[in-house]
Amino acid sequence: MNDVLVQAYESALPEYERLRDAAVAVTNALLQSSGLNIHHVTGRVKRPASLADKLLRKPGRYGALDEVTDLVAVRVITYFESDVQAVSRLVEERFDVDWAHSIDKSKMHDPDRFGYMGVHYVVRPLGHGPADAAFEDHPFEIQIRSILQHAWAEIEHDLGYKNREAVPREVRRRFYRLAGLLEMADEEFMTLHRLSKDYAATLPERVHDAPDSVYIDVQSLQYMLDVDPVRDLDTRVAAALNVLLLTGWPDPERPQRLAGLLQYVGVHSVGALQKELRRHGPEIVQFAALLMPRLRETWTPAGGARPGTSIVHFGLMRACANPALDPREIVSLLDMTGVLSTAQLISTVRDTYAEATGRRAG
């Protein structure tokens, strides 16, 4: 019987591979519509040799391929343990769950449990969409783990330890300790994530009430790019150049680069940045209007002025005015290398600064 099932599976393997692709597509679509930030989603089809091993280990349990619920599996890896539960709720809403074969492995053990695992569902689509027709009567498995749960499971699998009895007594305690550490790490990462979201949510109020107490970092810079005085000066620079301000420019690293630039030139708080931009606004616009046409190679491919262009030019002016600052560090922070050499960039910036302000660069 086992050989018959394995042969039937090998013959139907292309069909199961199509099922895998459809299952991954449906799962990805579900997660994208939810807005959850997921690390990655993968799918796999059980190897015929693995199926043969399973049938040998569990003789008489399976009479048909549809009774083997893990021939196709989708694995969802989340960043945080809390997202495992969020994905679980989505799966329970979107799919017909075979509860007899689905388990939350994190709830299977005592508090001092051996192992650190996620949630496994055996599912069929509910049949609400045209894509669900691809599944017909085939179940498939959805495994949901956080990154740390995934790391534990992969290492545990590589070591060959399937259960408590498989682990030598002298190393079992270390497994318990490691499981506890990983759970604590997952909780700490969730706390950091929550604190980061809370920090971002309170930025508008804090910037309004006490800007000097708000430090320059990626999140505060991201917020400042959308408000005055940064947005006003960016708009004025774009107008002076007769180009668009690319408010939707997709550059996730830009706030980080701008934050690094401001920290390097000695501006450490939002309040200080606001004061400097308001004090030197006209000079910044004049300097940018002179410099950007001379460095078209560095920005023309974008098709306009990027958000934070006023901060960039303020930083360049500050570097020119302070001989203690290394212009090469500014070029590196802003990732301005490319068509022009670093020496050409520095020379052009210095000459433009002298023309715009009547002062020699330091």
Side-chain angles (χ1 to χ4, degrees):
M1 182 61 182
N2 289 355
D3 291 342
V4 172
L5 286 178
V6 172
Q7 289 174 6
Y9 179 61
E10 289 179 330
S11 299
L13 204 54
E15 178 182 351
Y16 284 99
E17 290 172 345
R18 287 193 292 272
L19 173 63
R20 174 202 58 202
D21 296 341
V24 169
V26 167
T27 304
N28 267 320
L30 174 65
L31 296 172
Q32 290 170 6
S33 67
S34 73
L36 287 173
N37 186 21
I38 301 300
H39 184 261
H40 72 267
V41 177
T42 59
R44 68 112 179 99
V45 173
K46 201 173 195 67
R47 292 181 296 107
S50 297
L51 174 60
D53 289 342
K54 183 168 189 170
L55 295 175
L56 285 173
R57 291 196 312 271
K58 302 176 180 180
R61 179 176 295 188
Y62 303 107
L65 287 178
D66 284 350
E67 296 175 7
V68 185
T69 58
D70 64 343
L71 294 177
V72 172
V74 174
R75 180 170 292 165
V76 180
I77 306 299
T78 69
Y79 286 101
F80 307 103
E81 195 277 334
S82 58
D83 288 335
V84 172
Q85 301 306 316
V87 175
S88 297
R89 289 192 295 271
L90 289 172
V91 169
E92 292 174 16
E93 293 170 1
R94 174 63 178 79
F95 295 98
D96 178 16
V97 178
D98 180 353
W99 291 106
H101 296 95
S102 301
I103 51 176
D104 183 346
K105 293 191 174 185
S106 67
K107 298 177 181 176
M108 289 177 59
H109 306 272
D110 294 329
D112 64 344
R113 66 186 182 274
F114 174 82
Y116 182 55
M117 298 166 283
V119 183
H120 290 193
Y121 290 101
V122 175
V123 303
R124 290 180 176 85
L126 289 171
H128 296 325
D132 295 344
F135 299 96
E136 299 178 350
D137 294 325
H138 296 299
F140 63 94
E141 188 173 79
I142 297 180
Q143 306 169 359
I144 312 166
R145 299 170 177 164
S146 71
I147 288 178
L148 292 183
Q149 288 172 337
H150 181 59
W152 169 278
E154 291 296 297
I155 294 172
E156 183 183 56
H157 181 270
D158 187 61
L159 291 173
Y161 295 145
K162 301 294 186 181
N163 52 49
R164 176 200 294 260
E165 289 70 27
V167 183
R169 291 179 61 87
E170 57 268 26
V171 300
R172 191 179 301 163
R173 182 170 179 270
R174 288 186 175 271
F175 264 89
Y176 286 137
R177 290 171 59 192
L178 181 57
L181 286 172
L182 285 173
E183 289 195 39
M184 290 176 64
D186 239 339
E187 291 176 0
E188 288 301 312
F189 277 125
M190 285 188 291
T191 299
L192 288 172
H193 183 55
R194 185 178 67 253
L195 289 174
S196 181
K197 292 175 67 175
D198 291 345
Y199 175 76
T202 61
L203 271 173
E205 180 180 356
R206 295 174 61 219
V207 167
H208 181 270
D209 295 342
D212 290 329
S213 70
V214 181
Y215 290 99
I216 294 294
D217 54 41
V218 172
Q219 287 180 293
S220 62
L221 249 296
Q222 183 69 63
Y223 172 73
M224 292 301 297
L225 290 178
D226 293 325
V227 298
D228 294 339
V230 177
R231 175 55 64 87
D232 174 62
L233 275 179
D234 284 353
T235 302
R236 288 162 59 187
V237 168
L241 294 163
N242 196 28
V243 298
L244 291 174
L245 177 61
L246 305 174
T247 54
W249 182 256
D251 187 356
E253 293 186 1
R254 191 160 178 82
Q256 181 171 323
R257 293 189 181 281
L258 295 178
L261 169 66
L262 290 173
Q263 294 285 357
Y264 182 69
V265 299
V267 178
H268 302 292
S269 74
V270 167
L273 175 63
Q274 291 173 329
K275 293 170 188 173
E276 291 294 330
L277 293 183
R278 288 175 178 137
R279 181 183 301 129
H280 300 290
E283 295 175 70
I284 292 170
V285 174
Q286 181 184 5
F287 177 65
L290 286 173
L291 179 63
M292 290 183 72
R294 299 172 182 179
L295 297 177
R296 289 189 181 277
E297 299 91 339
T298 65
W299 64 272
T300 298
R306 289 180 284 177
T309 186
S310 57
I311 295 176
V312 170
H313 289 92
F314 164 73
L316 292 173
M317 292 179 67
R318 186 110 166 182
C320 288
N322 188 343
L325 298 178
D326 185 353
R328 290 170 297 184
E329 183 68 20
I330 304 292
V331 171
S332 175
L333 283 167
L334 295 175
D335 193 26
M336 295 175 67
T337 55
V339 178
L340 299 179
S341 68
T342 299
Q344 288 175 303
L345 283 169
I346 293 172
S347 175
T348 302
V349 170
R350 287 179 179 275
D351 291 345
T352 305
Y353 174 79
E355 182 180 341
T357 65
R359 300 187 294 269
R360 273 183 75 115

